[in-house]
Amino acid sequence: MATAATAATIPAGGRPYRRTRTRCGPPRLHRFSLQASAAAAASSSSPPAPSTSAPVEGGGRLVAELVGAFNELTERMGEELATSSSSRLLFRALKLALPALRESDGGRTLSRALVVAASLADLQMDAEVISAGILREALDAGTVSMRDIKAQVGVSIAHLLHESLRLKHAPSKLDVLDDESATALRKFCLTYYDIRAVILELVLKLDMMRHLDSLPRYLQQIKALEVMKIYAPLAHAVGAGNLSLELEDLSFRYLFPHSYGHIDEWLRNQETESKLIIDEYKEQLLQALKSDDELKQIVQDISIQGRYKSRFSTMKKLVKDGRQPEEVNDILGLRVILDPRCDGDSSEWGPRACHRTHEIIQSLWKEVPGRTKDYISRPKENGYQSLHVAIDVSEPGKKRPLMEIQIRTNEMHRLAVGGAASHSLYKGGLTDPGEAKRLKTIMLAAAELAALRLRDLPASDKKGRDFKNRAFCLLDKNGDGRISIEELTEVMEDLGAGGKDATELMHLLDANSDGSLSSEEFESFQRQVELMRSLEDNDDHYRKILKEKLQTIDSAGLIHVYRKELGDKLLVS
Ligand SMILES: Nc1nc2c(ncn2[C@@H]2O[C@H](COP(=O)(O)OP(=O)(O)OP(=O)(O)O)[C@@H](O)[C@H]2O)c(=O)[nH]1
Ligand SMILES: Nc1ncnc2c1ncn2[C@@H]1O[C@H](COP(=O)(O)OP(=O)(O)OP(=O)(O)O)[C@@H](O)[C@H]1O
Ligand SMILES: [Ca+2]
Ligand SMILES: [Ca+2]
């Protein structure tokens, strides 16, 4: 069995992972490795899993990688973005990038390129940005040239990459250690025509920050400082809030390891329980608000967001006025957003709905006296409106930090996110409201342009191809509903494998031996790819169980215990 170092999936932090979609919260990522799953498959007892090892050998493995990565990315993109022209573009980019990336650094570069692509897809970037993200690693590693990209993927991707490279080299022109230079550089970034290059660069910075450990200490600090001063505020300014928080926390960790350690320990100790409390209170409040007769009459929709405060944001609060961690009163946060009915007077119904929500909160929980701030009756100078209350969520014998609840209408929220009282300005990322407005216009224009460029071809081109079967349609070049040996050979040659591999793979997958692959035959191959992934998800799970039980495990011992104790549990449902 070929021992390729990288599996055909999107990895996190340099480790392969797979995502399970959940309705809320960030994607859940599972780590896995192909060798481990093969070992697990080999050791599992009856009924035997379908032969998963055969199609992943040699050139077949390349196709499995291509299809696996393609499926995972299009799933993340969602139907709206993964149009058929976008899919074709992404497929071309993957075909060029996969063989090139496998050559560098034992496959680690491929893992990282796929992580970058997945983050971009999660940010709902279009196929051009995602493709550029995959190819950028190959370009940096020197295994693909700009000329190859232009010829095989397209001029627009090459242009996007060119812009991101300009941005990459920008910081060296300035002394980023002083605030003025940092502000100047952020402004410079925002004058880019294609804001998507900025976002690509931000995601690449996040990837870099996740892999700083291997660098010498002084370099870690320089890079962390640059991210803290320039890229984290920039991410905040372009509306990528979670990206900004992660960039900040990672920089904080390298810049101030001791303070980070202290705060991290304190927040981590209560994180799991706090997040459960946030979810519980959120649900309870939503039910109470939705069943209130007065609110029913004046609002048409209610939503609640919850958040656990980040490491860096907590640290800033502590150093701002020397308070103790226990005195940070927004570690747990809820935000109620009310949508007043249109048939009433929103200038009256909005504030009334907020105050009614406050009364309901008071009836449910213990409000902390003196911590209520009514910025609705008395808006802040910048126009910010919201009603803030703090509640005590401690239980007898169990002291907890306070929970802050912000109550606002959707109109007030719009202002707090994008207006003069915008969060970007409030947090100091951008200092000029005009600039924030301009940025938004640029982003909208870029999005429209991308949508135009990637608009689907007429329906006749689709021949009833469905969303799930995109990979098949892309391999079936002449659209006759079958993948011929020529078509398979072509894609395998693109991936750097020989014609012999294509013949072998065809032999394995061609169940009815008619010399070509039907969509059903290809689907069963896709199922095998999926199966390998689930095996590897389980592997991680079992590894954890075993680690707890056995303390130390070597790889040979691991397989041994699998067979003895967990064999029948390893079946994949
Ligand atoms: N977007 C935006 N949010 C704001 C603004 N002012 C306050 N907020 C939000 O409201 C929260 C609480 O603000 P305040 O009630 O003024 O509390 P504070 O004086 O900061 O009190 P501490 O929590 O003790 O620091 C902040 O953490 C922000 O989330 C603003 O001008 N714009
Ligand atoms: N009570 C809350 N409920 C839900 N989301 C919140 C709440 N407070 C802040 N947020 C959001 O959480 C994200 C991180 O905010 P963060 O905690 O860093 O700052 P902040 O609370 O707004 O400001 P400060 O640090 O000055 O208190 C932002 O998107 C912010 O709008
Ligand atoms: Ca706050
Ligand atoms: Ca066949």
Side-chain angles (χ1 to χ4, degrees):
M1 149 121 207
T3 50
T6 318
T9 196
I10 317 299
R15 295 151 136 206
Y17 67 67
R18 199 163 86 81
R19 188 177 74 145
T20 303
R21 272 194 183 280
T22 46
R23 288 197 68 216
C24 29
R28 207 160 66 80
L29 308 169
H30 307 272
R31 186 182 153 266
F32 80 94
S33 87
L34 207 66
Q35 290 110 304
S37 85
S43 65
S44 68
S45 59
S46 64
S51 164
T52 58
S53 58
V56 296
E57 275 178 28
R61 185 189 162 86
L62 300 179
V63 182
E65 277 185 0
L66 176 67
V67 170
F70 174 80
N71 285 347
E72 183 116 17
L73 288 172
T74 43
E75 190 204 317
R76 279 168 187 261
M77 287 167 77
E79 286 209 33
E80 232 165 74
L81 281 167
T83 61
S84 68
S85 35
S86 296
S87 306
R88 268 197 291 277
L89 179 73
L90 189 62
F91 202 70
R92 284 204 302 272
L94 280 168
K95 265 200 317 189
L96 177 62
L98 291 187
L101 288 169
R102 196 181 299 101
E103 282 168 27
S104 11
D105 203 12
R108 269 196 292 280
T109 323
L110 173 58
S111 303
R112 288 177 65 165
L114 292 175
V115 170
V116 165
S119 304
L120 289 165
D122 287 347
L123 282 166
Q124 295 300 290
M125 289 291 109
D126 59 64
E128 287 190 353
V129 191
I130 298 170
S131 303
I134 296 165
L135 285 160
R136 178 55 195 279
E137 299 272 357
L139 198 60
D140 285 350
T143 45
V144 152
S145 70
M146 208 53 123
R147 187 197 289 243
D148 297 332
I149 295 172
K150 258 189 210 152
Q152 293 177 45
V153 190
V155 181
S156 54
I157 307 287
H159 179 71
L160 200 51
L161 281 165
H162 178 74
E163 293 229 321
S164 84
L165 285 173
R166 266 174 62 200
L167 181 53
K168 179 190 170 191
H169 296 128
S172 58
K173 291 185 203 135
L174 290 159
D175 177 4
V176 294
L177 299 177
D178 85 77
D179 280 346
E180 249 174 57
S181 304
T183 310
L185 185 59
R186 286 204 301 265
K187 280 194 175 152
F188 165 75
C189 294
L190 296 177
T191 59
Y192 267 71
Y193 165 68
D194 199 336
I195 196 79
R196 297 175 306 158
V198 176
I199 297 188
L200 169 58
E201 207 47 40
L202 289 172
V203 169
L204 288 163
K205 290 288 175 207
L206 178 62
D207 179 63
M208 174 196 81
M209 289 303 295
R210 284 173 175 162
H211 296 89
L212 273 194
D213 272 344
S214 56
L215 296 184
R217 177 94 186 98
Y218 80 97
L219 265 184
Q220 291 176 346
Q221 285 180 317
I222 289 179
K223 291 194 178 293
L225 189 60
E226 187 184 293
V227 165
M228 183 68 92
K229 292 238 168 201
I230 295 157
Y231 296 101
L234 200 55
H236 197 259
V238 298
N242 288 337
L243 191 62
S244 152
L245 292 176
E246 194 174 346
L247 284 172
E248 271 180 359
D249 276 6
L250 283 164
S251 311
F252 174 32
R253 187 177 138 200
Y254 285 100
L255 285 173
F256 313 103
H258 296 298
S259 339
Y260 178 87
H262 180 69
I263 288 173
D264 181 57
E265 194 189 345
W266 186 70
L267 285 172
R268 193 182 295 276
N269 276 340
Q270 45 193 344
E271 188 155 357
T272 311
E273 197 197 38
S274 297
K275 285 181 173 170
L276 283 174
I277 299 264
I278 290 172
D279 285 347
E280 238 173 64
Y281 275 60
K282 180 175 143 182
E283 206 39 53
Q284 202 183 335
L285 182 56
L286 195 61
Q287 292 313 323
L289 298 180
K290 283 195 166 165
S291 52
D292 182 71
D293 288 335
E294 184 178 347
L295 275 184
K296 271 189 211 160
Q297 281 176 11
I298 53 177
V299 299
Q300 54 189 0
D301 194 28
I302 302 167
S303 67
I304 306 183
Q305 301 166 346
R307 80 101 177 75
Y308 188 61
K309 204 166 180 72
S310 74
R311 275 43 172 175
F312 184 61
S313 191
T314 305
M315 196 273 285
K316 274 195 293 186
K317 235 178 204 170
L318 297 180
V319 297
K320 198 172 75 179
D321 51 16
R323 65 178 96 180
Q324 291 300 311
E326 299 72 39
E327 292 163 338
V328 178
N329 34 47
D330 66 340
I331 298 286
L332 310 178
L334 287 184
R335 178 178 289 159
V336 181
I337 302 171
L338 302 151
D339 187 6
R341 288 193 184 282
C342 327
D343 51 352
D345 179 353
S346 73
S347 65
E348 252 182 42
W349 282 14
R352 178 63 208 138
C354 293
H355 287 115
R356 177 65 197 145
T357 299
H358 184 195
E359 286 164 11
I360 296 169
I361 290 170
Q362 286 170 323
S363 73
L364 288 173
W365 303 306
K366 199 158 58 174
E367 182 176 9
V368 181
R371 285 228 45 93
T372 308
K373 290 185 192 160
D374 187 350
Y375 293 122
I376 295 178
S377 306
R378 271 167 277 92
K380 280 180 60 172
E381 240 171 59
N382 62 11
Y384 176 78
Q385 284 189 291
S386 201
L387 176 58
H388 300 170
V389 294
I391 58 164
D392 186 354
V393 296
S394 298
E395 281 167 23
K398 181 84 198 159
K399 183 101 185 90
R400 296 198 180 103
L402 300 182
M403 178 184 277
E404 173 192 80
I405 309 182
Q406 303 181 344
I407 310 161
R408 45 175 83 154
T409 62
N410 49 0
E411 184 57 27
M412 296 170 192
H413 184 58
R414 204 179 49 76
L415 215 130
V417 172
S422 84
H423 208 252
S424 317
L425 300 176
Y426 168 71
K427 293 293 249 185
L430 282 176
T431 44
D432 173 6
E435 197 172 285
K437 211 168 154 190
R438 207 180 122 260
L439 172 69
K440 203 170 166 198
T441 319
I442 297 173
M443 282 188 75
L444 284 176
E448 268 170 32
L449 191 78
L452 259 179
R453 220 184 281 138
L454 296 170
R455 203 163 43 198
D456 256 351
L457 297 174
S460 61
D461 177 56
K462 289 191 195 159
K463 291 205 180 120
R465 300 161 186 194
D466 71 328
F467 179 69
K468 279 193 187 134
N469 227 359
R470 278 181 209 287
F472 179 83
C473 297
L474 286 163
L475 289 166
D476 172 20
K477 283 207 155 166
N478 65 3
D480 68 351
R482 324 192 64 77
I483 299 171
S484 65
I485 182 68
E486 289 77 22
E487 285 162 343
L488 197 59
T489 308
E490 194 183 326
V491 71
M492 293 188 65
E493 276 172 357
D494 283 346
L495 291 168
K500 191 166 154 278
D501 283 332
T503 316
E504 269 175 23
L505 183 64
M506 177 63 83
H507 186 65
L508 275 163
L509 305 182
D510 180 13
N512 66 357
S513 305
D514 70 348
S516 64
L517 300 182
S518 63
S519 62
E520 292 76 28
E521 285 163 343
F522 189 73
E523 228 171 74
S524 107
F525 170 59
Q526 301 232 54
R527 277 199 298 276
Q528 291 185 21
V529 172
E530 277 301 309
L531 177 76
M532 290 186 294
R533 293 169 161 204
S534 17
L535 278 174
E536 285 148 7
D537 284 351
N538 282 352
D539 182 49
D540 196 41
H541 175 59
Y542 294 129
R543 193 187 292 262
K544 277 197 202 107
I545 299 175
L546 290 170
K547 212 170 185 175
E548 275 166 26
K549 287 194 174 168
L550 301 178
Q551 309 298 327
T552 55
I553 307 163
D554 63 24
S555 59
L558 185 67
I559 294 169
H560 181 68
V561 179
Y562 266 135
R563 196 175 288 138
K564 251 176 74 187
E565 291 187 21
L566 294 164
D568 52 358
K569 288 195 200 155
L570 275 169
L571 298 177
V572 181
S573 52

